[in-house]
Amino acid sequence: MEKQQALKILSDLIAIPSINDQEAQVADYIAQLFADYPAQVQRVRYAPGRDNLVVTIGEKGPLLGFSGHEDVVAVDSNKDWDYPPFSATIKDGKLYGRGASDMKSGLAAMIVAMLDLLNNGQPLAGRIRLLASVGEETGEYGAAQLTQAGYASDLQGLVIGEPTDLQVRVTHKGVIDYKLESLGKSVHSSQPDLGKNAILPLIEFVHQAQIVLAADNQVDSTLGKLTHVISQIQGGSQINTVPAHAWLTGNIRTIPAYSNELVMQQLDKIVQQLNASGAQLKITYSYPEPPLPTQAHTRLAQLASHVLQEQFHLSGNLTAGVGATDASEYHQVQNLPIIIVGPADGTTDHQPNEYVTVAKYLRGCQFYQALAQAFWQEF
Amino acid sequence: MEKQQALKILSDLIAIPSINDQEAQVADYIAQLFADYPAQVQRVRYAPGRDNLVVTIGEKGPLLGFSGHEDVVAVDSNKDWDYPPFSATIKDGKLYGRGASDMKSGLAAMIVAMLDLLNNGQPLAGRIRLLASVGEETGEYGAAQLTQAGYASDLQGLVIGEPTDLQVRVTHKGVIDYKLESLGKSVHSSQPDLGKNAILPLIEFVHQAQIVLAADNQVDSTLGKLTHVISQIQGGSQINTVPAHAWLTGNIRTIPAYSNELVMQQLDKIVQQLNASGAQLKITYSYPEPPLPTQAHTRLAQLASHVLQEQFHLSGNLTAGVGATDASEYHQVQNLPIIIVGPADGTTDHQPNEYVTVAKYLRGCQFYQALAQAFWQEF
């Protein structure tokens, strides 16, 4: 494919403002790219306007999965951007726009690789299935839906195109988001004994949670330690009133040594004990995602590393990440090797002036094609 | 004065929505009530639209002060009220409206008493000075201004008309409002070690302040213990970001055993220690008001108690309160006896359907008149 055409596909994807929603427009766009080819295109609706898309090419042979998410995170303020976030701008070898790094460049490069394979005139030596998911940024529920519906069950390997600067990410932390709500009883602050302060049990919870989770202190050789961030807190309405309602949110990044279930049990226990002493706390978890245990030993990881070294003269390093990806969901498929390799370097994810280097993007297109061919040969 | 006329003055005052502002309208209204009498009327401007008013009647003899604040607190939602908050409604012997209890009934009853004394055809045996203040609900700064300007310096006694159900309140707690702000550094929650969480120093501050202030555990025989309420807390903007900014507010009610200065030093020390270990905290105090030490031994308190018992067949009990009043400011005048006596019972202060009993209000008008006459005779 011509360089300009490959860049147009990425630019077209960036022009769709699929901010935690509207992924159906991305799915429509990808579907029409494959309309004139022998490809099996399946829409998997998550919600109105929110379609996952599954595109399978090839008739027989080893089945490699390509995974990319269709959604992007919001733009805080256009004023922080030097370029319009939803109209790709190329300047000094960089392509700017929301999703340029995370991860419409990975998604586009996978699409370009598939179209190039279809266009090169020879029958395919294997199969590729593109899994384009909704809602990765807000809980990986698109990947969960595709996993449960079986679209990953027959894969023999899966590559996720999140930004890794074309290194091979073989493991990442899990994530637990939680919200803790506290109920009290409001009275005038001059007579606090007649009321119940909703903020204080939150303070006590944080104090205890910091101690309990600090004891989960094993250090994973590649992922490091479990981390816990109290990210938001809010309570009370005026200075001379005992607050009747308060809440906080927390974000935990887990490692394989401590299962998400264990960590949630530890928090639940603190809540239960505080409630037993008079607090009225309720903790809820949204989309806990398990860590991805290391895939370093898999043939897929070794193969990707080899292709990067031999054909692209890159390091082929096996690396670790901190952020959860759709891999947390697809990993539920038994014995499915998963690696994360994407063209962007990830330094501007979720930030203003997000970009991907044009050269890296185009190399990503070539890499995915080369990896598929090597996979078909080796597996 | 006719009962209907006394009720009209209270109703007119309630009809002025002087919510933490616009006290000049109250001052104008009171001033015109005294326009046709030999009275010295002085406006003391705090800010545009916010006038304290000082009305002095009588030529010579003992000078008794009457103190009432012109402001009222806000109405959260009209829907919570069975009657319109800014239009007095009399039903089943109760007069409803914002300020009916706290404290336009006290203020109105003092005005009625002064007008009745002026109207009864005899020369006054002493003097009364009404101090109508702005901003009592938000920091007693009107009373502070009047004190600094000398309007209380020549008083021989001062009665504050806050609701006490016609008992004699002789002491109350002080108050310290503070705000604690915390600065951190925002980063993605997957790599918290690269940032600085602004919420955690607040948690640590609360934890330590609870311990330190719990040691201030002397029990005042009438006021009870010092109390400390964390009333508001807020920080962070999204669940997957380390928060860069957070703040909380606290409300402390002090007793004479622990000066406001001491308590503020205790909090300052915690802040300094946390800042020395890397926090970026700033604590600010707004309008700290000292407690009113007991006035039980004063001739004024004894006289008021005697008048209530002998002339009104009420208990004449000397009581303690929890809330700070303008007395915290006027108490800066050396050797000025201050008592708090008002007609309403205070049970609905700052609440929907605030009311004063009509009978109690009218008795309040008579009490202030009787107290002034007794004061003039005894002092």
Side-chain angles (χ1 to χ4, degrees):
Chain A
M1 187 182 295
E2 290 294 315
K3 178 179 153 183
Q4 287 312 320
Q5 200 179 339
L7 286 167
K8 180 175 189 303
I9 289 175
L10 173 54
S11 302
D12 288 346
L13 286 175
I14 288 173
I16 302 169
S18 51
I19 305 167
N20 303 322
D21 198 352
Q22 301 171 41
E23 294 96 335
Q25 294 178 45
V26 176
D28 289 344
Y29 176 76
I30 300 172
Q32 60 82 13
L33 290 176
F34 287 93
D36 297 332
Y37 294 95
Q40 188 188 359
V41 176
Q42 294 161 287
R43 269 186 189 68
V44 182
R45 176 150 293 188
Y46 175 76
R50 307 194 69 178
D51 288 355
N52 302 282
L53 191 75
V54 180
V55 180
T56 310
I57 62 170
E59 294 300 314
K60 58 184 181 181
L63 177 56
L64 177 63
F66 281 170
S67 155
H69 62 81
E70 303 170 325
D71 55 318
V72 293
V73 296
V75 169
D76 272 353
S77 164
N78 277 16
K79 285 185 299 188
D80 299 333
W81 287 68
D82 298 328
Y83 312 99
F86 296 103
S87 165
T89 303
I90 296 176
K91 177 134 186 168
D92 297 335
K94 293 174 178 171
L95 185 149
Y96 293 89
R98 174 54 84 225
S101 174
D102 181 13
M103 58 161 281
K104 285 178 170 171
S105 55
L107 180 62
M110 287 170 162
I111 293 165
V112 170
M114 290 169 75
L115 292 171
D116 278 344
L117 286 164
L118 287 167
N119 279 330
N120 78 5
Q122 295 179 354
L124 303 184
R127 293 173 293 158
I128 296 175
R129 180 175 298 150
L130 176 70
L131 302 169
S133 60
V134 306
E136 192 276 342
E137 295 289 358
T138 46
E140 289 107 20
Y141 37 82
Q145 185 183 14
L146 292 176
T147 304
Q148 281 151 29
Y151 288 99
S153 302
D154 52 344
L155 299 178
Q156 289 154 274
L158 178 62
V159 186
I160 293 180
E162 294 272 7
T164 66
D165 202 20
L166 289 180
Q167 298 191 327
V168 185
R169 186 166 295 167
V170 290
T171 180
H172 64 62
K173 288 184 169 178
V175 61
I176 300 172
D177 280 340
Y178 66 89
K179 182 171 189 176
L180 182 67
E181 292 172 281
S182 175
L183 284 181
K185 187 187 166 201
S186 186
V187 292
H188 195 266
S189 62
S190 61
Q191 299 179 290
D193 291 348
L194 302 180
K196 190 161 94 170
N197 192 323
I199 292 175
L200 296 184
L202 297 185
I203 303 284
E204 193 52 34
F205 171 87
V206 174
H207 199 75
Q208 292 190 25
Q210 296 281 90
I211 293 167
V212 167
L213 296 187
D216 295 345
N217 60 358
Q218 274 197 46
V219 181
D220 186 283
S221 59
T222 43
L223 295 174
K225 291 171 68 169
L226 176 150
T227 63
H228 177 210
V229 170
I230 302 296
S231 46
Q232 291 167 287
I233 191 165
Q234 198 163 313
S237 57
Q238 54 185 57
I239 197 164
N240 59 354
T241 301
V242 172
H245 186 250
W247 56 267
L248 62 76
T249 63
N251 173 277
I252 299 170
R253 304 285 169 155
T254 55
I255 58 176
Y258 305 100
S259 72
N260 282 12
E261 287 66 30
L262 172 76
V263 172
M264 292 189 281
Q265 277 165 19
Q266 291 176 318
L267 300 185
D268 287 344
K269 192 174 167 195
I270 298 170
V271 168
Q272 282 157 17
Q273 286 171 342
L274 290 171
N275 283 347
S277 356
Q280 264 187 280
L281 295 170
K282 192 179 106 185
I283 190 166
T284 47
Y285 303 95
S286 51
Y287 310 113
E289 294 294 334
L292 178 66
T294 185
Q295 309 284 308
H297 58 284
T298 63
R299 280 168 65 205
L300 179 63
Q302 298 298 328
L303 182 66
S305 177
H306 182 78
V307 168
L308 286 165
Q309 288 178 49
E310 297 301 314
Q311 298 189 39
F312 296 89
H313 309 294
L314 292 168
S315 74
N317 281 348
L318 304 187
T319 65
V322 284
T325 69
D326 279 343
S328 294
E329 292 298 332
Y330 295 127
H331 181 60
Q332 292 174 44
V333 176
Q334 294 283 324
N335 301 318
L336 172 61
I338 304 179
I339 58 173
I340 303 159
V341 187
D345 64 13
T347 54
T348 53
D349 292 3
H350 298 204
Q351 291 175 36
N353 298 324
E354 181 179 351
Y355 73 87
V356 63
T357 305
V358 170
K360 271 280 167 72
Y361 166 64
L362 296 173
R363 204 173 302 179
C365 299
Q366 293 164 345
F367 164 70
Y368 290 130
Q369 189 178 345
L371 179 66
Q373 286 169 319
F375 183 87
W376 291 338
Q377 205 161 359
E378 298 290 326
F379 276 66
Chain B
M1 187 183 293
E2 292 294 316
K3 178 180 152 181
Q4 286 313 320
Q5 202 180 337
L7 286 167
K8 181 175 187 306
I9 290 174
L10 173 53
S11 301
D12 288 346
L13 287 174
I14 287 173
I16 302 168
S18 51
I19 304 167
N20 304 322
D21 198 351
Q22 301 171 40
E23 294 96 335
Q25 293 178 46
V26 177
D28 289 344
Y29 176 77
I30 300 172
Q32 61 81 13
L33 290 176
F34 287 93
D36 298 332
Y37 294 95
Q40 189 188 357
V41 176
Q42 295 161 287
R43 270 188 189 68
V44 182
R45 175 149 294 186
Y46 174 77
R50 308 194 68 177
D51 287 356
N52 302 282
L53 190 76
V54 180
V55 180
T56 311
I57 62 170
E59 294 299 315
K60 58 183 181 184
L63 177 56
L64 177 64
F66 282 169
S67 154
H69 63 82
E70 303 170 326
D71 56 318
V72 293
V73 295
V75 169
D76 272 351
S77 165
N78 278 18
K79 286 185 298 186
D80 299 333
W81 287 68
D82 298 327
Y83 314 98
F86 296 104
S87 164
T89 303
I90 297 177
K91 177 132 187 170
D92 298 335
K94 294 175 177 170
L95 186 149
Y96 293 88
R98 173 55 85 223
S101 174
D102 179 16
M103 59 163 279
K104 285 179 170 171
S105 56
L107 180 61
M110 288 171 162
I111 293 164
V112 170
M114 291 169 75
L115 293 171
D116 277 344
L117 287 163
L118 288 166
N119 280 330
N120 76 4
Q122 295 178 355
L124 303 184
R127 295 173 293 159
I128 296 176
R129 180 175 297 148
L130 176 69
L131 302 169
S133 60
V134 307
E136 192 275 342
E137 296 289 358
T138 46
E140 288 107 21
Y141 37 82
Q145 185 182 15
L146 292 175
T147 304
Q148 282 152 28
Y151 288 98
S153 303
D154 53 345
L155 299 178
Q156 290 154 274
L158 178 62
V159 187
I160 293 179
E162 293 271 7
T164 67
D165 201 21
L166 290 180
Q167 298 192 328
V168 185
R169 185 167 296 170
V170 291
T171 181
H172 64 61
K173 288 184 169 177
V175 62
I176 300 172
D177 280 339
Y178 67 88
K179 181 171 187 175
L180 182 67
E181 292 171 281
S182 175
L183 284 181
K185 186 187 166 200
S186 186
V187 291
H188 194 266
S189 63
S190 62
Q191 307 189 64
D193 291 348
L194 303 180
K196 190 160 91 169
N197 192 323
I199 292 174
L200 296 184
L202 296 185
I203 303 283
E204 192 53 32
F205 171 87
V206 174
H207 200 74
Q208 293 190 28
Q210 296 281 90
I211 293 167
V212 167
L213 296 187
D216 294 345
N217 60 358
Q218 274 196 47
V219 181
D220 186 282
S221 58
T222 44
L223 295 175
K225 291 171 68 169
L226 175 149
T227 62
H228 177 212
V229 170
I230 301 297
S231 46
Q232 291 167 286
I233 192 165
Q234 199 164 311
S237 57
Q238 55 184 54
I239 197 164
N240 59 355
T241 301
V242 172
H245 187 250
W247 56 268
L248 61 77
T249 64
N251 174 276
I252 300 170
R253 305 285 170 157
T254 55
I255 58 175
Y258 304 101
S259 73
N260 282 11
E261 288 66 29
L262 172 76
V263 173
M264 291 189 284
Q265 278 166 19
Q266 291 177 318
L267 298 186
D268 287 345
K269 192 174 166 194
I270 298 171
V271 168
Q272 283 156 16
Q273 286 171 343
L274 290 171
N275 282 347
S277 354
Q280 262 187 284
L281 294 170
K282 192 179 106 185
I283 191 166
T284 47
Y285 303 95
S286 52
Y287 310 114
E289 295 294 332
L292 178 67
T294 184
Q295 309 284 306
H297 58 285
T298 63
R299 282 167 65 206
L300 178 64
Q302 298 298 326
L303 182 67
S305 176
H306 183 79
V307 168
L308 286 166
Q309 288 177 50
E310 297 301 314
Q311 299 188 39
F312 296 90
H313 311 293
L314 291 168
S315 74
N317 282 347
L318 304 186
T319 65
V322 283
T325 70
D326 279 343
S328 294
E329 293 297 333
Y330 296 127
H331 181 60
Q332 292 174 44
V333 176
Q334 295 282 322
N335 301 317
L336 172 62
I338 303 178
I339 58 172
I340 302 157
V341 187
D345 63 14
T347 53
T348 53
D349 292 5
H350 299 205
Q351 290 175 37
N353 298 324
E354 181 180 351
Y355 74 87
V356 62
T357 304
V358 170
K360 271 282 169 70
Y361 166 65
L362 297 172
R363 204 174 301 179
C365 300
Q366 294 165 343
F367 164 71
Y368 290 130
Q369 190 178 345
L371 179 65
Q373 288 170 319
F375 183 87
W376 292 339
Q377 206 162 358
E378 298 291 327
F379 275 69

